[in-house]
Structure formats: C-alpha cells, structure tokens
C-alpha cells in the first residue's frame, strides 16, 4: 500500500474514526470496486484489527497482537515497538536487528523527535538498511516509540510512520481514559463506603448494645447481620454484582434499621424473579434505601413506609425506591445531582447517578420525583445486558 494512502486515511481516522469506520465496514459493496475504494477498505479494516489490543494500553501483549497489522499499514518489511524502558516487539524480516531496536529508539525516547537512521548490516540478503523511528505520546509525554524498518526511506514513509504513530497515540489515550474511568469508579465506591459507614455503624452498634442485657439472643442475631452487611459493603472484588446480592445486602440493612425503628418502619418489596440475575453496579441500590431511611423517615413522626420495586421491562430492569417521608426541595435536589458538595445530605444520590451514567450512558441517570412534604421516589433503569458489565 502506498504511503500517501496511509497518510490520508489514517489522518481521517484520527480525526473521526467512529463515523468513517462505520460507513466503511457496513459492507464493501458500497465502496465500489476501484483501487482507491479497495485501499480505503483495507486500510480502515487493518486499523480496526489493530485497535482492540492497543486499547488495553502500551504493553508487550498488546504490542505483539497489534504489530502485524501496523506493519501491514506501513508496508514495511519490519517494525519495532518500545515503551520507555524496553523493546516490546520486533515483527518482520531481519530479526537479528531486534537486539539493537531499543538502542535505535534511544534518541527518539529522549527528545521526542523523529529519527531517520542508516543501519549497517553484514548480511547482503537482509532487507533492513534504514529505520524511521517516531515517538508514541500520551498527554504530551513520550511513552514509547514505533520504528519502521526497510531497504529505503522516503518522505512518504516518514509521514506515514508519523500518522500511524498519531493513530496509535489516540488508542493509547483512549486506554488511559478507560483506566481513569475505572479508577474514578473505584474512588467513588470508596467515597460512598466512607459516607455510609460512620453513620450506619454508630446507629447499628448502639441498637445492638441496647439488646445485650434485655435480649442477648436478639443482640447476637443482629451482630451477625451487621457483620454480614459490612463484609459485603467493604468487599474488594468486582465493580458489579447481581441484583439478588444487592437486595440481600439491603435486607440485612433493613433488619438492623427495623431493630432501631421498631414498628415505625414498614417495608414493601415487589421483585420480579426474572431480574434477580441482572448485573448492577456494586452498591447502587443500598445508598438509595439508606437515603430513604436517613433523610426521609428519621425526622418524620409516626410510621414511615419504604417501597422497593424491581420490574422486568424487556431489555431493561426498572427499579424504584420510594418513601413517604419529608421529601426534598427540588432546587436542592438539582444542586445535589449537579455535584454541589455544600448541599450536605444526599451525597449517595449523586454518587449513584454519576456511576450509572459512567457505565451505561447519560440516558441512564437516576430520575427523582419529590417535593417538600410529599416523599421521594428514585427511579433507575439498568440494561439487562451491556458490554463490559458482568457480575463475577
């Protein structure tokens, strides 16, 4: 494939890969049968094959899986990919040059500039005589290098190598974004645990202590429920769980809260059995139930009611948590969901809303129905099946 074709098509890919790739991969028939159309398809298809391993970051495994496709894009007899410390892969002819590949990249790794090298080789039949080494960058940092090896160099090959490197950079930046999102979700779960635990632990232990003398057996049962609840809430594995496990943890939570409120707290659950295996973000419902108890019923006189519903809705599971408590000023609710930390209570609502949007998209944020004196109903929708979401 000519370097100029690679330059134009990869520049287009970096600028708008999703739309272009979708249009091309809908079917070759739409592209016609001319050389330019075939080159377009082949370049974009090859790029699409190289993308998934690179989306995992700059690793030896990912570089090895992507190298064949990158070499095909460049039309080079061999390529080499390094990170900042070592050679990740040498792919193609002249494998005896692999031992020198990291040294070839040294200057590029140091100053971030493209290098064109003349190589000495004693083997007359070796096709490797020159190398074009270009930097790989993420957030304006040089994180590695890509080298195209061949018998000749040209301005077209240099440009092609630079465009391929730019495209690789875009995949590595997407990998960093994915990693950042994962870390953010983990941080938000930790923040949620920190917000839940002090209030709940204090109230639960105080309630258990009140039964120690009057009803030791009851105190023992509550202590076991408390231990099971905290074990689930502070577990360290998995970003997702099943709806059944989340509801089981909520049941433990409500057992402890009923011990505190007695007959003043009444709970109704209507759960469709077919949605119990649905994977949901870890701790996405428990904060809503705690919010209903803590902010809806604690300050209310008389009996407080909470209703939890989970329904099958075709491709989705629809869940609602409703209380008949004091409700909330809609403007204050808006500030909470917008991330206004000065809004004090309701941090759990904002946390759950943000995590649902991160996992499923903005259309899956929580929907809250409330007004002062009218109680609160929180509605969420969860797809039954979603890429990357599974309860392990």
């Amino acid at each position: 494939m000519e370097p100029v074709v690679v330059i134009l098509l990869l520049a287009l890919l970096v600028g708008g890969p999703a739309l272009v790739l979708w249009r091309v991969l809908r079917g070759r028939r739409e592209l016609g049968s001319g050389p330019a159309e075939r080159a377009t398809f082949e370049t974009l298809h090859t790029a699409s094959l190289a993308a998934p391993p690179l989306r995992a970051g700059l690793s030896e495994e990912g570089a090895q899986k992507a190298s064949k496709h990158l070499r095909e894009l460049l039309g080079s007899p061999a390529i080499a990919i390094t990170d900042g410390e070592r050679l990740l892969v040498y792919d193609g002819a002249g494998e005896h040059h692999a031992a020198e590949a990291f040294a070839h990249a040294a200057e590029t790794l140091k100053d971030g500039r493209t290098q064109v090298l003349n190589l000495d080789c004693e083997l007359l039949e070796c096709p490797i005589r020159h190398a074009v080494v270009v930097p790989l960058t993420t957030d304006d940092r040089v994180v590695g290098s890509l080298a195209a090896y061949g018998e000749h160099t040209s301005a077209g090959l240099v440009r092609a190598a630079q465009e391929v490197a730019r495209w690789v950079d875009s995949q590595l930046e997407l990998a960093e974004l994915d990693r950042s999102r994962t870390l953010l979700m983990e941080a938000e779960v930790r923040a949620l645990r920190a917000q839940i635990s002090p209030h709940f632990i204090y109230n639960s232990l105080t309630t258990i202590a009140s039964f120690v003398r009057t009803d030791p057996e009851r105190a023992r049962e509550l202590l076991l429920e408390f231990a099971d609840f905290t074990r689930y809430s502070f577990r360290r594995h998995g970003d997702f769980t099943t709806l059944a496990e989340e509801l089981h943890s909520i049941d433990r939570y409500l057992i402890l809260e009923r011990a505190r409120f007695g007959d003043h707290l009444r709970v109704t659950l209507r759960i469709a059995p077919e949605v119990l295996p649905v994977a949901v973000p870890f701790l996405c419902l428990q904060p809503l139930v705690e919010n209903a108890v803590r902010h809806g019923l604690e300050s209310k006189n008389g009996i407080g009611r909470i209703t939890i519903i989970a329904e099958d809705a075709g491709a989705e599971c629809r869940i609602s948590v409703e209380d008949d408590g004091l409700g909330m000023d809609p403007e204050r609710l808006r500030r909470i969901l917008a991330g206004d930390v000065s809004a004090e209570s309701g941090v759990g609502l904002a946390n759950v809303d943000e995590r649902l949007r991160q996992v499923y998209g903005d259309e899956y944020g929580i929907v809250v129905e409330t007004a002062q004196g009218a109680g609160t109903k929180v509605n969420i929708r969860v797809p039954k099946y979603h890429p990357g979401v599974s309860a392990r």
Side-chain angles (χ1 to χ4, degrees):
M1 188 177 298
E2 292 297 325
V4 68
V5 176
V6 174
I7 292 170
L8 292 175
L9 292 179
L10 284 172
L12 189 57
L13 263 177
V14 172
L19 179 60
V20 174
L21 198 56
W22 176 78
R23 285 176 175 170
V24 171
L25 298 183
R26 281 191 305 175
R28 271 184 93 160
R29 185 178 303 171
E30 295 183 17
L31 292 170
S33 57
E37 288 84 355
R38 286 197 299 272
T40 299
F41 174 82
E42 290 169 3
T43 298
L44 295 177
H45 180 61
T46 302
S48 74
L49 295 175
L54 294 173
R55 283 291 300 272
L58 190 58
S59 65
E60 183 173 357
E61 181 181 2
Q64 288 175 349
K65 290 181 178 179
S67 60
K68 173 185 175 182
H69 307 299
L70 296 178
R71 180 161 60 87
E72 186 177 342
L73 284 173
L74 288 168
S76 297
I79 70 166
I81 302 173
T82 76
D83 61 14
E85 299 178 350
R86 62 193 176 106
L87 175 69
L88 299 179
V89 64
Y90 183 97
D91 183 270
E95 290 187 3
H96 54 285
H97 289 288
E100 307 164 352
F102 187 76
H104 296 160
E107 289 300 317
T108 296
L109 293 172
K110 181 179 179 180
D111 60 22
R113 295 181 181 180
T114 296
Q115 305 285 332
V116 178
L117 307 176
N118 296 319
L119 306 181
D120 294 325
C121 185
E122 297 178 354
L123 300 178
L124 296 178
E125 68 276 13
C126 180
I128 306 302
R129 301 296 171 180
H130 301 274
V132 177
V133 188
V134 294
L136 299 176
T137 61
T138 301
D139 294 330
D140 296 324
R141 294 180 294 107
V142 177
V143 296
S145 70
L146 170 67
Y149 290 88
E151 195 168 358
H152 305 285
T153 58
S154 66
L157 179 60
V158 173
R159 288 289 308 280
Q162 290 172 334
E163 290 299 337
V164 169
R166 280 188 62 210
W167 179 80
V168 172
D169 291 347
S170 70
Q171 302 307 306
L172 298 179
E173 287 175 358
L174 289 172
E176 284 292 318
L177 180 60
D178 289 341
R179 191 176 298 113
S180 297
R181 285 175 175 170
T182 299
L183 293 174
L184 179 60
M185 285 186 64
E186 292 174 353
E188 287 178 340
V189 170
R190 288 195 296 270
L192 191 58
R193 286 168 172 160
Q195 178 229 344
I196 293 169
S197 55
H199 181 88
F200 177 73
I201 289 173
Y202 174 80
N203 287 331
S204 296
L205 292 179
T206 300
T207 301
I208 293 170
S210 71
F211 284 100
V212 168
R213 289 190 177 183
T214 60
D215 192 345
E217 182 62 23
R218 175 70 166 153
R220 188 185 72 84
E221 292 173 356
L222 290 174
L223 194 57
L224 292 175
E225 296 291 350
F226 176 77
D228 286 342
F229 173 82
T230 53
R231 185 180 299 113
Y232 174 82
S233 298
F234 291 96
R235 73 178 193 179
R236 293 185 178 273
H237 59 281
D239 296 322
F240 302 95
T241 186
T242 64
L243 179 60
E245 289 179 335
E246 190 80 353
L247 289 171
H248 191 46
S249 175
I250 288 170
D251 184 56
R252 295 189 184 107
Y253 168 80
L254 290 172
I255 286 173
L256 292 162
E257 292 293 56
R258 285 194 196 98
R260 183 159 67 103
F261 287 103
D263 292 336
H264 290 287
L265 174 60
R266 298 184 183 178
V267 181
T268 301
L269 288 92
R270 295 207 303 270
I271 311 298
E274 56 268 30
V275 300
L276 290 175
V278 172
V280 297
F282 180 61
L283 285 182
C284 73
L285 294 184
Q286 196 276 338
L288 306 183
V289 176
E290 181 176 8
N291 200 68
V293 173
R294 183 177 177 184
H295 304 300
L297 303 178
E298 278 189 347
S299 302
K300 178 184 175 181
N301 295 323
I303 295 173
R305 293 177 174 83
I306 295 176
T307 302
I308 303 171
I309 299 174
E311 300 175 314
D312 186 357
E316 297 178 341
C317 171
R318 294 181 181 173
I319 306 167
S320 66
V321 178
E322 183 176 8
D323 67 72
D324 64 349
L326 301 180
M328 189 182 302
D329 175 22
E331 176 58 25
R332 179 164 166 267
L333 172 64
R334 186 195 63 77
R335 289 190 289 112
I336 288 173
L337 295 180
D340 184 352
V341 295
S342 65
E344 295 183 1
S345 61
V347 175
L349 288 177
N351 185 293
V352 172
D353 180 64
E354 179 64 23
R355 287 195 290 138
L356 288 172
R357 292 176 188 273
Q358 286 178 359
V359 174
Y360 303 114
D362 285 340
E363 65 272 25
Y364 285 96
I366 67 174
V367 176
V368 184
E369 305 170 32
T370 189
Q372 288 183 323
T376 301
K377 183 178 182 180
V378 181
N379 303 283
I380 68 174
R381 297 180 298 124
V382 177
K384 288 182 181 176
Y385 307 100
H386 190 78
V389 176
S390 62
R392 297 176 182 176

